[in-house]
Amino acid sequence: MDRYVVAGNPVSHSLSPEIHARFAASLGEQIEYGRLLVPEGGFDLHLARFFEQGGCGANVTLPFKVDAFRFAADASARAKRAGAANFLALRAGRIECDNTDGAGLVADLSRNLGLRLAGARILLLGAGGAARGVIAPLLAQSPGSLVIANRTVARAGALARLFGDLGPVEACALDAVGPRAFDIVINATSTSTKGEALALGPGIIGEGGFAYDMAYGACAKPFVAAALAAGARASDGLGMLVEQAAESYFLWRGGRPETAALLAQLRARFA
Ligand code: NDP
């Protein structure tokens, strides 16, 4: 049976094994998808062993997305742009990497949530690994503008320069945003996951806007609730998780799983 894993630290909480088992069942395929807990500094050793022992592919999560990019012999254009990968596949004896986070985010925003990205004024909060992976896919949707705001402004500036040839992208410090109207505000900071407050100026998320937290479940609730209270619509990042998994499954196996029913069931569980 074809074997896959989600590799990270921690991985015990990961929904990926369940999501991929459901995808496989829905497509009438049989796969084995497990968790691989990788110790700090042990990424290359553990992943090399997994592939030597017959593994076909891996999803990679915190804190190893840059290690995954460096580990692979070949990288897709979007992984090269991001300098980080959440997807590994063994093909013809070579390890390839890709980054499906951006495709997952764009699919969730546009298809599941019905948002129009073309022409939209987008604010991306954060300049870490997750932000890095979604900038090129967002710019490919032709937004009106993309502002990257980060606590450490130099990191936002570096990303704006790196992706500046792909579209209208600019950088600023987190505490220097606004007052300015945004259609979509995406929280790609780790504040929700860490249970920290995100210090945003007033009026940045408001009526007519849409606020999206890449975190999901209980930890995303304060951000989502604050956006709803300010009159915006809002979502957590559960759909992004499911959609990036669907993109991974498609890249590995060629079949594209349906996501709507699974997403609805997971959402009910996290409600
Ligand atoms: P990183 O650690 O790489 O980046 C963290 C970012 O958060 C940095 O920009 C950092 O700013 C900022 N930050 C941290 N603490 C604070 C704070 N107190 N105030 C303001 N900004 C802060 O994390 P990732 O980019 O990998 O992950 C970010 C989030 O995205 C996580 O919640 C993760 O779970 C989620 N995610 C969800 C996915 C999904 O499929 N739904 C996929 C990938 C990620 P600074 O540079 O100043 O340190």
Side-chain angles (χ1 to χ4, degrees):
M1 205 185 296
D2 291 346
R3 285 175 54 223
Y4 304 88
V5 286
V6 54
N9 191 344
V11 279
S12 58
H13 68 288
S14 175
L15 292 173
S16 293
E18 178 182 349
I19 292 171
H20 283 279
R22 294 283 300 273
F23 286 164
S26 71
L27 293 168
E29 298 181 352
Q30 289 210 317
I31 66 165
E32 191 184 308
Y33 191 113
R35 294 183 173 86
L36 183 62
L37 178 65
V38 178
E40 197 184 327
F43 187 83
D44 289 15
L45 180 72
H46 283 74
L47 271 290
R49 191 180 294 156
F50 167 72
F51 283 111
E52 276 160 25
Q53 292 175 350
C56 299
N59 282 130
V60 180
T61 184
L62 282 172
F64 297 116
K65 291 186 182 182
V66 173
D67 300 76
F69 174 71
R70 294 200 182 120
F71 175 74
D74 303 307
S76 69
R78 57 190 178 184
K80 275 188 199 148
R81 267 283 175 179
N86 68 338
F87 170 98
L88 294 171
L90 181 64
R91 291 205 181 96
R94 287 175 74 81
I95 307 284
E96 297 174 9
C97 75
D98 203 336
N99 192 318
T100 65
D101 279 341
L105 174 68
V106 167
D108 195 35
L109 291 175
S110 55
R111 209 169 51 228
N112 300 339
L113 297 166
L115 298 174
R116 185 177 157 75
L117 298 177
R121 296 158 300 178
I122 301 176
L123 173 63
L124 180 65
L125 305 169
R132 196 172 248 282
V134 303
I135 294 169
L138 283 173
L139 289 172
Q141 301 300 310
S142 306
S145 60
L146 176 64
V147 176
I148 305 168
N150 196 43
R151 180 177 59 178
T152 309
V153 66
R155 295 183 79 194
L159 290 187
R161 284 190 296 280
L162 185 63
F163 292 94
D165 59 323
L166 298 182
V169 53
E170 58 187 278
C172 73
L174 197 56
D175 54 11
V177 187
R180 182 169 157 182
F182 292 98
D183 301 306
I184 303 171
V185 177
I186 300 167
N187 183 12
T189 73
S190 53
T191 49
S192 293
T193 309
K194 295 191 296 185
E196 293 173 2
L198 182 59
L200 268 189
I204 292 165
I205 298 175
E207 220 163 304
F210 196 101
Y212 187 94
D213 198 335
M214 285 194 189
Y216 57 86
C219 69
K221 282 187 177 159
F223 179 85
V224 168
L228 294 174
R233 292 183 298 141
S235 172
D236 72 3
L238 191 60
M240 175 180 173
L241 177 78
V242 171
E243 295 298 343
Q244 64 77 28
E247 178 78 2
S248 295
Y249 195 100
F250 169 71
L251 292 173
W252 280 324
R253 305 188 60 82
R256 195 169 276 287
E258 280 296 320
T259 54
L262 174 59
L263 181 53
Q265 281 170 21
L266 291 174
R267 204 165 273 303
R269 194 195 299 172
F270 282 108

